[in-house]
Amino acid sequence: MTSRQSSLCGLAAHGLWLLGLVLLMDAAARPANHSSTRERATNREENEILPPDHLNGVKLEMDGHLNRDFHQEVFLGKDMDGFDEDSEPRRSRRKLMVIFSKVDVNTDRRISAKEMQHWIMEKTAEHFQEAVKENKLHFRAVDPDGDGRVSWDEYKVKFLASKGHNEKEIADAIKNHEELKVDEETQEVLENLKGRWYQADNPPADLLLTEDEFLSFLHPEHSRGMLKFMVKEIVRDLDQDGDKQLSLPEFISLPVGTVENQQGQDIDDNWVKDRKKEFEELIDSNHDGIVTMEELENYMDPMNEYNALNEAKQMIAIADENQNHHLEPEEILKYSEFFTGSKLMDYARNVHEEF
């Protein structure tokens, strides 16, 4: 009798699992909500030709701040906008379970660190393909004659035109070697862009960027040489004693500004806490209290498989309530805000009903 009851329970569980898969397939077929949660640049032309301040799937921002959306970016890939605040909760829950089933390659209803690592690498590659696709459009914007090469002067004309200057007047002034009348802030941006332009120009240097070189100019995270340049820029901004490496006090130094209230103090406390943890657990790989440029470069490399495995373990540990070193449906739903930016707590308590 006991054996028969066990068999019936097993069949029931199997049936619920199959029902869950059907529901997941139904959810996958529905159109996604493509409204964005991230602020977009208001000037489309400027946004097309300027290197982005934020790089998807990279641990640090260009200014050295931690990328707060990193875990969501490497878990969701190009589907980041599918879990914004306007999304219908039930559809979002089902979509999250669709993702779970894709990561769970061996279909044991648990996500291992290796499975998460492979998924992170796949989603990172997805961001790269998006960057390549967008770069083709952006390159055309600065290469109107279509010769496949863009000079620094040609780019400078387009950049200043995007800032409101008359394109013909700027082009004539550059052609005649006249001094450009731009404000101090714009001049500083131009100088920074020029250094980046020269760095993206592969040997033999001709100051003309091809489409691939222009991709490195806009997205340094996908070029080894440009990633080194990006790391040098970050170290330069944070390095206080000029030794070209970072100590813990330098890395956790608070940004310029004063704390005016308790809320501001809490923000600063979190800043220090988060950066200290990142420095000690992930960036300082040999744990000697100093981060070299090589360590920072390895940490920021989006295609570093060792980093991806560490991130996978960290992401699982965040939600691994039963401490089995795997991620299960109930856990990923309960900690959905960490993975998607959306809270689905109520659903986590009823996950078995959906399955």
Coordinates of all heavy atoms in Angstrom, one line a residue, residues 200-255:
A200 N 42.7 53.4 -29.9 CA 41.9 52.4 -30.7 C 42.5 52.2 -32.1 O 42.1 51.2 -32.8 CB 40.5 52.9 -30.8
D201 N 43.4 53.0 -32.5 CA 44.0 53.0 -33.8 C 45.1 51.9 -33.8 O 46.2 52.2 -33.4 CB 44.6 54.3 -34.2 CG 45.1 54.4 -35.6 OD1 44.8 53.5 -36.4 OD2 45.9 55.3 -35.9
N202 N 44.8 50.7 -34.4 CA 45.8 49.6 -34.3 C 47.0 49.9 -35.2 O 46.9 50.6 -36.2 CB 45.1 48.3 -34.8 CG 44.1 47.8 -33.9 OD1 44.2 48.0 -32.7 ND2 43.1 47.2 -34.4
P203 N 48.2 49.4 -34.8 CA 49.4 49.6 -35.6 C 49.3 49.0 -37.0 O 48.6 47.9 -37.1 CB 50.5 48.9 -34.8 CG 49.9 48.8 -33.4 CD 48.4 48.7 -33.6
P204 N 49.9 49.6 -38.0 CA 50.6 50.9 -38.0 C 49.6 52.0 -37.9 O 48.6 52.1 -38.7 CB 51.3 50.9 -39.3 CG 50.5 50.0 -40.2 CD 49.9 49.0 -39.3
A205 N 49.8 52.9 -37.0 CA 48.8 54.0 -36.7 C 48.7 54.9 -37.9 O 49.8 55.4 -38.5 CB 49.3 54.8 -35.5
D206 N 47.5 55.2 -38.3 CA 47.3 56.2 -39.4 C 46.2 57.2 -39.0 O 45.8 58.0 -39.9 CB 46.8 55.4 -40.7 CG 45.6 54.5 -40.5 OD1 45.0 54.6 -39.4 OD2 45.3 53.8 -41.4
L207 N 45.7 57.1 -37.8 CA 44.7 58.0 -37.3 C 43.4 57.9 -38.0 O 42.5 58.7 -37.9 CB 45.2 59.5 -37.3 CG 46.4 59.8 -36.5 CD1 46.7 61.3 -36.5 CD2 46.3 59.3 -35.1
L208 N 43.2 56.8 -38.7 CA 42.0 56.5 -39.4 C 41.4 55.2 -38.8 O 42.1 54.2 -38.7 CB 42.2 56.3 -40.9 CG 42.7 57.4 -41.7 CD1 43.1 57.0 -43.1 CD2 41.7 58.6 -41.7
L209 N 40.2 55.2 -38.3 CA 39.6 54.1 -37.7 C 38.7 53.3 -38.6 O 37.9 53.9 -39.3 CB 38.8 54.5 -36.4 CG 39.5 55.1 -35.3 CD1 38.6 55.1 -34.0 CD2 40.8 54.4 -35.0
T210 N 38.9 52.0 -38.7 CA 38.0 51.1 -39.4 C 36.8 50.8 -38.6 O 36.7 51.3 -37.4 CB 38.7 49.8 -39.8 OG1 39.0 49.1 -38.6 CG2 40.0 50.1 -40.6
E211 N 35.8 50.1 -39.1 CA 34.7 49.8 -38.3 C 35.0 49.0 -37.1 O 34.4 49.2 -36.0 CB 33.7 49.0 -39.2 CG 32.3 48.7 -38.5 CD 31.3 48.0 -39.4 OE1 31.2 48.5 -40.6 OE2 30.7 47.1 -39.0
D212 N 35.9 48.0 -37.2 CA 36.4 47.2 -36.0 C 37.1 48.1 -35.0 O 36.9 47.9 -33.8 CB 37.3 46.1 -36.5 CG 36.5 45.0 -37.2 OD1 35.3 44.9 -37.0 OD2 37.2 44.1 -37.9
E213 N 37.9 49.0 -35.5 CA 38.6 49.9 -34.5 C 37.6 50.9 -33.9 O 37.8 51.2 -32.7 CB 39.7 50.7 -35.3 CG 40.9 49.8 -35.7 CD 41.8 50.5 -36.7 OE1 41.4 51.5 -37.4 OE2 43.0 50.2 -36.7
F214 N 36.6 51.3 -34.6 CA 35.6 52.2 -34.1 C 34.8 51.4 -33.0 O 34.4 52.0 -32.0 CB 34.7 52.7 -35.2 CG 33.8 53.8 -34.7 CD1 34.3 55.1 -34.5 CD2 32.4 53.7 -34.6 CE1 33.5 56.1 -34.1 CE2 31.6 54.7 -34.2 CZ 32.2 55.9 -33.9
L215 N 34.6 50.1 -33.1 CA 34.0 49.3 -32.1 C 34.8 49.3 -30.8 O 34.3 49.5 -29.7 CB 33.8 47.9 -32.6 CG 33.2 46.9 -31.6 CD1 31.8 47.2 -31.1 CD2 33.2 45.5 -32.1
S216 N 36.1 49.2 -31.0 CA 37.0 49.3 -29.8 C 37.0 50.7 -29.2 O 37.1 50.8 -27.9 CB 38.5 49.0 -30.2 OG 38.6 47.7 -30.7
F217 N 36.8 51.7 -30.0 CA 36.7 53.1 -29.5 C 35.5 53.2 -28.6 O 35.5 53.8 -27.5 CB 36.7 54.0 -30.7 CG 36.4 55.5 -30.3 CD1 37.4 56.2 -29.6 CD2 35.2 56.0 -30.6 CE1 37.1 57.6 -29.3 CE2 34.9 57.4 -30.3 CZ 35.9 58.1 -29.6
L218 N 34.3 52.7 -29.1 CA 33.1 52.8 -28.4 C 33.0 51.8 -27.2 O 32.4 52.1 -26.2 CB 31.9 52.6 -29.3 CG 31.6 53.7 -30.4 CD1 30.4 53.4 -31.2 CD2 31.5 55.1 -29.7
H219 N 33.5 50.6 -27.4 CA 33.4 49.5 -26.5 C 34.7 48.9 -26.1 O 35.1 47.8 -26.6 CB 32.4 48.4 -27.0 CG 31.0 48.8 -27.0 ND1 30.1 48.7 -26.0 CD2 30.3 49.4 -28.0 CE1 29.0 49.2 -26.3 NE2 29.0 49.6 -27.5
P220 N 35.5 49.6 -25.3 CA 36.8 49.1 -24.9 C 36.9 47.7 -24.2 O 37.9 47.1 -24.2 CB 37.4 50.2 -24.0 CG 36.2 50.8 -23.4 CD 35.1 50.8 -24.5
E221 N 35.7 47.3 -23.7 CA 35.7 46.0 -23.0 C 35.9 44.8 -23.9 O 36.2 43.7 -23.4 CB 34.4 45.9 -22.2 CG 33.2 45.6 -23.1 CD 32.5 46.8 -23.7 OE1 33.1 47.8 -23.8 OE2 31.3 46.6 -24.0
H222 N 35.8 45.0 -25.2 CA 35.9 43.9 -26.1 C 37.2 43.9 -26.9 O 37.3 43.2 -27.9 CB 34.7 43.9 -27.1 CG 33.4 43.7 -26.4 ND1 33.1 42.6 -25.6 CD2 32.3 44.4 -26.3 CE1 31.9 42.7 -25.1 NE2 31.4 43.8 -25.5
S223 N 38.1 44.7 -26.4 CA 39.4 44.8 -27.1 C 40.5 44.7 -26.0 O 40.4 45.5 -25.0 CB 39.6 46.1 -27.9 OG 40.9 46.4 -28.2
R224 N 41.4 43.8 -26.1 CA 42.4 43.6 -25.0 C 43.2 44.9 -24.8 O 43.5 45.4 -23.7 CB 43.4 42.5 -25.4 CG 44.5 42.3 -24.4 CD 44.0 42.0 -23.0 NE 43.2 40.8 -22.9 CZ 42.7 40.4 -21.7 NH1 42.8 41.1 -20.6 NH2 42.0 39.3 -21.7
G225 N 43.7 45.6 -26.0 CA 44.4 46.8 -25.8 C 43.6 47.9 -25.2 O 44.1 48.7 -24.4
M226 N 42.3 48.0 -25.6 CA 41.5 49.1 -25.1 C 41.1 48.8 -23.7 O 40.9 49.8 -22.9 CB 40.3 49.3 -26.0 CG 40.6 50.0 -27.3 SD 41.3 51.6 -27.1 CE 39.8 52.5 -26.5
L227 N 41.0 47.5 -23.3 CA 40.6 47.2 -21.9 C 41.8 47.7 -21.0 O 41.6 48.2 -19.9 CB 40.4 45.7 -21.8 CG 39.9 45.2 -20.4 CD1 38.6 45.8 -20.0 CD2 39.8 43.7 -20.4
K228 N 43.0 47.5 -21.5 CA 44.2 48.0 -20.7 C 44.1 49.5 -20.5 O 44.4 50.0 -19.5 CB 45.5 47.6 -21.4 CG 45.8 46.1 -21.4 CD 47.1 45.8 -22.1 CE 47.5 44.3 -22.1 NZ 47.8 43.9 -20.8
F229 N 43.8 50.2 -21.6 CA 43.6 51.6 -21.6 C 42.6 52.0 -20.6 O 42.8 53.0 -19.8 CB 43.3 52.1 -23.0 CG 43.1 53.6 -23.1 CD1 44.2 54.5 -23.0 CD2 41.8 54.1 -23.2 CE1 44.0 55.9 -23.1 CE2 41.6 55.5 -23.3 CZ 42.7 56.4 -23.2
M230 N 41.5 51.4 -20.6 CA 40.4 51.7 -19.7 C 40.8 51.5 -18.2 O 40.5 52.3 -17.4 CB 39.2 50.8 -20.0 CG 37.9 51.0 -19.2 SD 36.6 49.9 -19.8 CE 35.4 50.1 -18.5
V231 N 41.5 50.4 -18.0 CA 42.0 50.1 -16.6 C 43.0 51.2 -16.2 O 42.9 51.7 -15.0 CB 42.7 48.7 -16.6 CG1 43.5 48.6 -15.3 CG2 41.7 47.6 -16.7
K232 N 43.9 51.6 -17.1 CA 44.8 52.7 -16.7 C 44.1 54.0 -16.4 O 44.5 54.7 -15.4 CB 45.8 53.0 -17.9 CG 46.8 51.9 -18.1 CD 47.7 52.2 -19.3 CE 48.8 51.2 -19.5 NZ 49.6 51.5 -20.7
E233 N 43.0 54.3 -17.1 CA 42.2 55.5 -16.8 C 41.6 55.4 -15.4 O 41.6 56.4 -14.7 CB 41.1 55.7 -17.9 CG 41.7 55.9 -19.3 CD 42.1 57.4 -19.4 OE1 41.2 58.3 -19.4 OE2 43.3 57.6 -19.5
I234 N 41.1 54.2 -15.1 CA 40.4 54.1 -13.8 C 41.4 54.2 -12.6 O 41.2 54.8 -11.6 CB 39.6 52.7 -13.7 CG1 38.4 52.8 -14.7 CG2 39.2 52.4 -12.3 CD1 37.7 51.5 -14.8
V235 N 42.6 53.5 -12.8 CA 43.6 53.5 -11.8 C 44.1 55.0 -11.6 O 44.3 55.4 -10.5 CB 44.8 52.6 -12.2 CG1 46.0 52.8 -11.2 CG2 44.3 51.1 -12.1
R236 N 44.3 55.7 -12.7 CA 44.8 57.1 -12.7 C 43.8 57.9 -11.8 O 44.2 58.7 -11.0 CB 44.8 57.6 -14.1 CG 45.3 59.1 -14.2 CD 45.0 59.7 -15.5 NE 43.5 59.8 -15.6 CZ 42.9 60.2 -16.8 NH1 43.6 60.5 -17.8 NH2 41.6 60.3 -16.8
D237 N 42.5 57.7 -12.0 CA 41.5 58.5 -11.3 C 41.5 58.1 -9.8 O 41.1 59.0 -8.9 CB 40.1 58.3 -11.9 CG 40.1 58.9 -13.3 OD1 40.9 59.8 -13.6 OD2 39.1 58.6 -14.0
L238 N 41.7 56.9 -9.4 CA 41.6 56.4 -8.0 C 42.9 56.4 -7.3 O 42.9 56.4 -6.0 CB 41.0 55.0 -8.0 CG 39.6 54.9 -8.6 CD1 39.1 53.4 -8.5 CD2 38.6 55.8 -7.9
D239 N 44.0 56.3 -8.0 CA 45.4 56.2 -7.4 C 45.8 57.5 -6.7 O 46.0 58.5 -7.4 CB 46.4 55.8 -8.4 CG 47.8 55.6 -7.9 OD1 47.9 55.5 -6.7 OD2 48.7 55.7 -8.7
Q240 N 45.9 57.5 -5.4 CA 46.2 58.8 -4.7 C 47.7 59.0 -4.5 O 48.1 60.1 -4.3 CB 45.5 58.8 -3.4 CG 43.9 58.8 -3.5 CD 43.2 58.6 -2.2 OE1 43.8 58.7 -1.1 NE2 41.9 58.4 -2.3
D241 N 48.5 57.9 -4.4 CA 49.9 58.1 -4.2 C 50.8 57.9 -5.4 O 52.0 58.0 -5.3 CB 50.4 57.1 -3.1 CG 50.1 55.7 -3.4 OD1 49.8 55.4 -4.6 OD2 50.2 54.8 -2.5
G242 N 50.2 57.7 -6.6 CA 50.9 57.7 -7.8 C 51.8 56.4 -8.0 O 52.7 56.5 -8.9
D243 N 51.5 55.3 -7.4 CA 52.2 54.1 -7.6 C 51.6 53.2 -8.6 O 52.1 52.1 -8.9 CB 52.4 53.3 -6.3 CG 51.1 52.9 -5.7 OD1 50.0 53.2 -6.3 OD2 51.1 52.1 -4.7
K244 N 50.6 53.7 -9.3 CA 50.0 53.0 -10.4 C 49.3 51.6 -10.0 O 49.3 50.7 -10.8 CB 50.9 52.8 -11.6 CG 51.4 54.1 -12.2 CD 52.3 53.9 -13.4 CE 52.8 55.2 -13.9 NZ 53.7 55.1 -15.1
Q245 N 48.9 51.5 -8.8 CA 48.2 50.4 -8.3 C 47.3 50.9 -7.2 O 47.4 52.1 -6.8 CB 49.1 49.3 -7.8 CG 50.1 49.7 -6.8 CD 51.2 48.6 -6.5 OE1 51.2 47.6 -7.2 NE2 52.0 48.8 -5.5
L246 N 46.3 50.1 -6.7 CA 45.3 50.5 -5.8 C 45.4 49.8 -4.5 O 45.4 48.5 -4.5 CB 43.9 50.4 -6.4 CG 43.6 51.2 -7.7 CD1 42.2 50.8 -8.2 CD2 43.8 52.6 -7.5
S247 N 45.4 50.5 -3.4 CA 45.2 50.0 -2.1 C 43.8 50.0 -1.7 O 42.9 50.6 -2.4 CB 46.0 50.8 -1.1 OG 45.5 52.1 -1.0
L248 N 43.4 49.3 -0.7 CA 42.0 49.2 -0.2 C 41.5 50.6 0.1 O 40.4 51.0 -0.3 CB 41.8 48.3 1.0 CG 40.4 48.2 1.5 CD1 39.4 47.7 0.5 CD2 40.4 47.3 2.8
P249 N 42.2 51.4 0.9 CA 41.8 52.8 1.2 C 41.5 53.6 -0.1 O 40.5 54.4 -0.1 CB 42.9 53.4 2.0 CG 43.5 52.2 2.7 CD 43.5 51.1 1.6
E250 N 42.4 53.5 -1.1 CA 42.2 54.2 -2.3 C 40.9 53.8 -3.1 O 40.1 54.6 -3.6 CB 43.4 54.0 -3.2 CG 44.6 54.8 -2.8 CD 45.8 54.5 -3.6 OE1 45.9 53.3 -4.1 OE2 46.7 55.3 -3.7
F251 N 40.7 52.4 -3.1 CA 39.5 51.9 -3.8 C 38.2 52.3 -3.1 O 37.2 52.4 -3.8 CB 39.6 50.4 -4.0 CG 38.6 49.8 -4.9 CD1 38.7 50.0 -6.3 CD2 37.6 49.1 -4.4 CE1 37.8 49.4 -7.1 CE2 36.6 48.5 -5.3 CZ 36.7 48.7 -6.6
I252 N 38.2 52.3 -1.8 CA 36.9 52.6 -1.1 C 36.7 54.1 -0.8 O 35.7 54.4 -0.1 CB 36.8 51.8 0.2 CG1 37.8 52.2 1.2 CG2 36.9 50.3 -0.1 CD1 37.7 51.5 2.5
S253 N 37.7 54.9 -1.2 CA 37.5 56.4 -0.9 C 36.2 56.9 -1.4 O 35.8 56.5 -2.6 CB 38.6 57.2 -1.6 OG 39.9 56.9 -1.0
L254 N 35.5 57.7 -0.6 CA 34.2 58.2 -1.0 C 34.3 59.2 -2.1 O 35.3 59.9 -2.2 CB 33.5 58.8 0.2 CG 33.2 57.9 1.4 CD1 32.7 58.7 2.6 CD2 32.2 56.9 1.0
P255 N 33.3 59.2 -3.0 CA 33.3 60.2 -4.0 C 33.2 61.6 -3.5 O 32.8 61.8 -2.3 CB 32.0 59.9 -4.8 CG 31.1 59.2 -3.9 CD 32.1 58.4 -3.0

